[in-house]
Amino acid sequence: MTSSAFQRTLTLPASVCEQAVPHLEQAARRTVDGAGIPLKAFRAAADNDYTFPVSVVEQAAACLLVLATETAQSVRPSALRATISVALCLRDAVQAVHRPALTTRFW
């Protein structure tokens, strides 16, 4: 059997998705590898329910962290913080999915 203990999709708050789109657009313009797939998914989410495959959210977070690294010396600190903040929200959502559920039983 090839079942996974982890969720394959996650639902993000609309505000996080809306914040991610402009940063992903900037990443795509700067040709950050892999930014196109999450950009397309996040743009389409505006018409749907903000549910994404975990791998797409993980890829979006990675692209935004690369963008932050590449632009760190050339953008205002507030813009850099905004990019990093969205990236960390996405990363935290992925990590929450991968954490095992707490049980009331002892190990």
Side-chain angles (χ1 to χ4, degrees):
M1 228 179 338
T2 58
S3 65
S4 173
F6 303 118
Q7 292 178 331
R8 295 178 187 194
T9 62
L10 61 91
T11 302
L12 296 172
S15 61
V16 172
C17 296
E18 291 164 2
Q19 292 171 0
V21 170
H23 296 291
L24 287 168
E25 287 172 345
Q26 184 181 8
R29 279 193 308 270
R30 289 181 141 288
T31 64
V32 172
D33 285 342
I37 292 169
L39 174 58
K40 191 177 201 181
F42 277 68
R43 279 183 179 161
D47 301 326
N48 294 318
D49 63 353
Y50 302 103
T51 299
F52 303 93
V54 171
S55 61
V56 170
V57 178
E58 199 166 29
Q59 187 173 357
C63 290
L64 294 184
L65 289 174
V66 168
L67 174 66
T69 302
E70 289 182 356
T71 61
Q73 298 297 317
S74 62
V75 297
R76 294 183 328 273
S78 59
L80 182 61
R81 278 192 301 274
T83 302
I84 292 170
S85 175
V86 173
L88 294 180
C89 284
L90 297 175
R91 187 205 60 188
D92 291 348
V94 169
Q95 288 180 346
V97 168
H98 289 303
R99 279 189 214 114
L102 295 176
T103 62
T104 57
R105 297 175 50 185
F106 294 103
W107 290 80

